[in-house]
């Protein structure tokens, strides 16, 4: 079946970096866009941007430029989200989600906690 | 950017009730709207896309309608497993914004 499996929870110190993976299975990876969505504790969903899995071209939403990088390894059908210079306010669950005109499926989410 | 508002923000209802959630867009988005259900500690789940198309496997008690700037999600007879938070999302333009959510709680 079509599924996205994300890497496990991370605990990082301020200033560190983190790389979250999202492994796709059950479909042709390069046939669908991949999106990233952030959910801060107790808050709603925030679209971070997407990556074209054919070209590798990323598009970032406002507020997610500079420290956030989307990348791919198509040989293993995996998308990555890297966040550098982590801040306490980056503490959130990060989801990958397949699709262009609706998001389905979603990964199970990766909790990134930034704390000294 | 297109802003989405949802009403109500919170809804208290009983099993068997008919529930309607409204999503309004700050500008016209044709039918490029999706609805998601999220339960605590879980990823969002797609319910409806293209404003009114039921995602495969989603119970038929869920339905969506609307176009342009006003949309509704209706649950015809609320079931215990439907208590969750519901989000709308516009996919007409970038950024792909979400509404703030509607929490459906047990009365």
């Amino acid at each position: 079946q079509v599924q996205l499996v994300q890497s496990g929870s991370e605990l990082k110190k301020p200033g560190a970096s983190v790389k979250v993976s999202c492994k796709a299975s059950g479909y042709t990876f390069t046939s669908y866009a991949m999106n990233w969505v952030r959910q801060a504790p107790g808050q709603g969903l925030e679209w971070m941007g997407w990556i074209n899995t054919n070209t590798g071209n990323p598009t970032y939403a406002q507020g997610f430029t500079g420290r956030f990088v989307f990348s791919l390894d198509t040989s293993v059908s995996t998308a990555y989200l890297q966040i550098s210079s982590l801040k306490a306010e980056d503490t959130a669950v990060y989801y990958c989600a397949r699709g262009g005109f609706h998001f389905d499926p979603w990964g199970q989410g990766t909790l990134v906690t930034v704390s000294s | 950017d297109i802003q989405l508002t949802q009403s109500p923000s919170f809804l208290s209802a009983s099993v068997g009730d008919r529930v309607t959630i409204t999503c309004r867009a700050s500008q016209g988005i044709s039918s490029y709207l999706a609805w998601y259900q999220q339960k605590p500690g879980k990823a969002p789940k797609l319910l409806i896309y293209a404003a009114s198309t039921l995602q495969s496997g989603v119970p038929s008690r869920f339905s969506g309608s609307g176009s342009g700037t006003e949309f509704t999600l209706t649950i015809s007879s609320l079931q215990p497993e439907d208590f969750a938070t519901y989000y709308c999302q516009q996919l007409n333009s970038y950024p792909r914004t979400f509404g703030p959510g509607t929490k459906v709680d047990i009365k």
Side-chain angles (χ1 to χ4, degrees):
Chain A
Q1 75 281 24
V2 176
Q3 64 176 351
L4 302 175
V5 178
Q6 298 184 224
S7 48
S9 297
E10 302 268 10
L11 174 60
K12 296 290 185 181
K13 294 190 183 304
S17 295
V18 69
K19 193 169 186 176
V20 176
S21 67
C22 169
K23 182 169 177 59
S25 61
Y27 72 98
T28 302
F29 182 68
T30 52
S31 293
Y32 295 83
M34 190 67 75
N35 298 270
W36 290 95
V37 177
R38 182 172 76 177
Q39 188 168 38
Q43 301 302 307
L45 303 170
E46 187 175 16
W47 183 74
M48 300 172 64
W50 71 288
I51 186 165
N52 184 318
T53 54
N54 254 314
T55 65
N57 183 49
T59 299
Y60 301 97
Q62 208 165 14
F64 295 100
T65 56
R67 297 189 299 116
F68 299 83
V69 176
F70 306 149
S71 61
L72 304 170
D73 184 343
T74 56
S75 69
V76 289
S77 300
T78 301
Y80 300 95
L81 163 66
Q82 183 160 0
I83 312 172
S84 58
S85 303
L86 284 162
K87 308 174 183 180
E89 50 265 40
D90 294 323
T91 294
V93 176
Y94 293 85
Y95 293 101
C96 58
R98 184 188 78 161
F101 290 98
H102 52 270
F103 292 3
D104 181 72
W106 293 57
Q108 82 276 20
T110 296
L111 173 62
V112 175
T113 303
V114 183
S115 174
S116 53
Chain B
D1 295 2
I2 295 174
Q3 311 300 320
L4 298 178
T5 58
Q6 289 183 234
S7 58
S9 303
F10 180 84
L11 188 158
S12 188
S14 301
V15 172
D17 283 354
R18 181 182 182 88
V19 166
T20 298
I21 299 168
T22 298
C23 177
R24 290 186 175 89
S26 58
Q27 56 188 274
I29 59 170
S30 185
S31 295
Y32 293 105
L33 189 101
W35 290 96
Y36 301 90
Q37 176 193 66
Q38 187 179 33
K39 296 181 180 179
K42 299 295 187 182
K45 172 189 171 184
L46 176 68
L47 299 175
I48 302 277
Y49 62 94
S52 60
T53 301
L54 192 68
Q55 172 68 348
S56 176
V58 174
S60 59
R61 63 181 179 272
F62 291 93
S63 64
S65 65
S67 67
T69 61
E70 187 154 333
F71 302 85
T72 59
L73 172 70
T74 300
I75 309 172
S76 60
S77 177
L78 199 65
Q79 297 302 300
E81 59 268 30
D82 300 337
F83 292 96
T85 300
Y86 294 84
Y87 295 93
C88 58
Q89 182 198 23
Q90 69 81 20
L91 301 111
N92 180 76
S93 63
Y94 292 103
R96 303 296 208 218
T97 44
F98 290 92
T102 295
K103 185 175 181 179
V104 178
D105 211 342
I106 303 172
K107 196 172 196 176

